[in-house]
């Protein structure tokens, strides 16, 4: 009798410690599990350049020597092999100033803010035709980054390799959500043209794929709220202990109960 009571107590403790429900761990509940579905992408707008963005402008031509003056050469100095990739990158980029302009060799000041990478490439290429034959221009972001905090595996600043980045990309690069992440309440803070906006989205709603916040912008901040069960594990030492021992207790009690029943 005492053994049964003890095992029952262990089972209850294990059950209480497993306080994250299956429903809270699921994402994209509206997406069909069996049937396929297709829909046009309407929210993938081109990223616009903003002041303080760092751009790399690369110019090529059928005459490589003629294109050299238009390409920025690293001024890091010293032994470049000892310079960090970040420092080299800073010297190879054009910083968009507060007024939204970059200053290119020979071409002078060009307005970059408010333009997309493609439109800036088109503008620079048009200016270069005065100096080069069949110029080819490539413009890229060097400092596209977002900050992701809260219930993720590796919170911090995430630097992206390109400008077409989704919130799922950022979460993946941050080590995915923790079991205590509130998938129904994720905050995105965005700054654009001197205005700061706040938007909360849900990963449990498939409408997220159509949200204007699905594709991230430069310097977005993502904060993943915890669920209430997380509060208990932080504030109560006993709950923290149960959170660690709960799975072990549940498995052990289940095994013992199975052996007793089989007898």
């Amino acid at each position: 009798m005492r053994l049964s009571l003890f095992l029952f107590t262990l089972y209850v403790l294990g059950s209480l410690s497993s306080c994250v429900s299956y429903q809270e761990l699921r994402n994209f509940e509206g997406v069909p599990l069996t049937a396929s579905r297709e829909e046009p992408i309407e929210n993938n707008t081109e990223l616009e350049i903003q002041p303080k963005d760092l751009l790399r402008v690369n110019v090529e031509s059928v005459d490589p020597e003629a294109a050299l003056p238009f390409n920025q050469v690293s001024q890091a100095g010293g032994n470049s092999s000892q310079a960090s990739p970040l420092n080299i990158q800073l010297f190879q980029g054009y910083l968009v100033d507060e007024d939204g302009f970059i200053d290119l060799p020979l071409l002078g000041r060009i307005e970059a803010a408010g333009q997309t990478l493609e439109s800036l490439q088109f503008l620079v290429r048009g200016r270069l035709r005065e100096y080069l034959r069949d110029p080819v221009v490539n413009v890229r972001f060097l400092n596209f980054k977002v900050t992701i905090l809260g219930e993720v595996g590796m919170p911090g600043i995430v630097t992206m390799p390109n400008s077409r980045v989704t919130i799922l990309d950022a979460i993946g690069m941050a080590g995915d959500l923790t079991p205590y992440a509130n998938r129904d309440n994720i905050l995105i803070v965005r700054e654009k043209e001197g205005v700061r906006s706040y938007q909360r989205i849900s990963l449990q709603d498939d409408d997220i794929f159509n949200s204007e916040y699905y594709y991230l912008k430069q310097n977005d901040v993502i904060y993943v709220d915890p669920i209430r069960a997380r509060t208990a594990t932080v504030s109560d030492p006993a709950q923290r202990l149960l959170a660690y021992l709960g799975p072990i207790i549940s498995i052990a009690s289940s095994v013992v109960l199975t052996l007793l029943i089989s007898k």
Side-chain angles (χ1 to χ4, degrees):
M1 181 66 180
R2 291 181 179 178
L3 179 60
S4 300
L5 181 60
F6 174 72
L7 293 174
F8 178 76
T9 302
L10 287 180
Y11 181 79
V12 171
L13 288 174
S15 299
L16 289 175
S17 64
S18 304
C19 48
V20 182
S21 68
Y22 170 74
Q23 201 69 16
E24 288 176 303
L25 292 175
R26 291 193 63 209
N27 297 330
F28 320 125
E29 293 181 0
V31 178
L33 296 177
T34 55
S36 62
R37 185 179 72 186
E38 294 182 356
E39 57 187 15
I41 298 176
E42 299 178 352
N43 58 336
N44 184 19
T45 57
E46 286 289 331
L47 194 66
E48 293 183 351
I49 299 169
Q50 302 180 49
K52 300 301 181 181
D53 281 346
L54 189 64
L55 306 176
R56 180 169 186 174
V57 182
N58 186 62
V59 177
E60 297 180 1
S61 173
V62 291
D63 185 353
E65 291 187 5
L68 284 178
F70 300 97
N71 289 302
Q72 194 175 45
V73 180
S74 172
Q75 302 295 324
N79 188 351
S80 60
S81 63
Q82 297 179 355
S84 69
L86 177 59
N87 289 334
I88 294 175
Q89 171 178 288
L90 293 176
F91 284 98
Q92 291 180 338
Y94 294 95
L95 184 66
V96 183
D97 64 25
E98 291 286 355
D99 297 323
F101 288 81
I102 57 175
D103 199 350
L104 296 179
L106 300 180
L107 300 182
R109 282 167 61 82
I110 294 180
E111 187 171 10
Q115 298 196 62
T116 65
L117 296 181
E118 185 177 348
S119 65
L120 182 58
Q121 287 177 177
F122 182 81
L123 175 60
V124 174
R125 187 164 57 244
R127 298 275 189 93
L128 285 172
R129 288 197 175 98
E130 182 180 346
Y131 304 93
L132 300 175
R133 182 162 60 93
D134 299 327
V136 177
V137 179
N138 286 295
V139 182
R140 294 290 181 269
F141 287 105
L142 285 178
N143 66 335
F144 186 86
K145 64 178 179 63
V146 297
T147 302
I148 183 164
L149 305 170
E151 290 296 326
V152 293
M154 297 178 292
I157 296 175
V158 180
T159 303
M160 302 296 183
N162 59 67
S163 58
R164 188 181 182 277
V165 179
T166 71
I167 186 172
L168 300 183
D169 294 328
I171 290 174
M173 295 184 72
D176 203 359
L177 302 175
T178 71
Y180 290 101
N182 188 345
R183 288 154 169 79
D184 195 39
N185 192 7
I186 295 178
L187 174 66
I188 299 180
V189 182
R190 176 168 295 172
E191 295 184 2
K192 182 178 180 181
E193 298 177 356
V195 177
R196 182 179 294 114
S197 63
Y198 304 86
Q199 178 69 31
R200 292 191 179 273
I201 62 174
S202 171
L203 289 182
Q204 295 183 320
D205 188 347
D206 63 328
D207 282 342
I208 183 180
F209 296 108
N210 298 317
S211 169
E212 64 175 300
Y213 288 86
Y214 178 68
Y215 289 95
L216 300 178
K217 306 294 185 183
Q218 169 77 301
N219 295 321
D220 277 356
V221 177
I222 304 164
Y223 176 70
V224 182
D225 270 345
I227 58 176
R228 291 186 181 276
R230 181 59 163 171
T231 307
T233 65
V234 173
S235 61
D236 187 353
Q239 286 289 338
R240 287 203 300 269
L241 181 61
L242 284 176
Y244 291 122
L245 298 181
I248 299 175
I249 294 173
S250 297
I251 294 173
S253 59
S254 298
V255 171
V256 175
L257 283 173
T258 303
L259 292 175
L260 290 175
I261 293 172
S262 63
K263 290 182 179 180

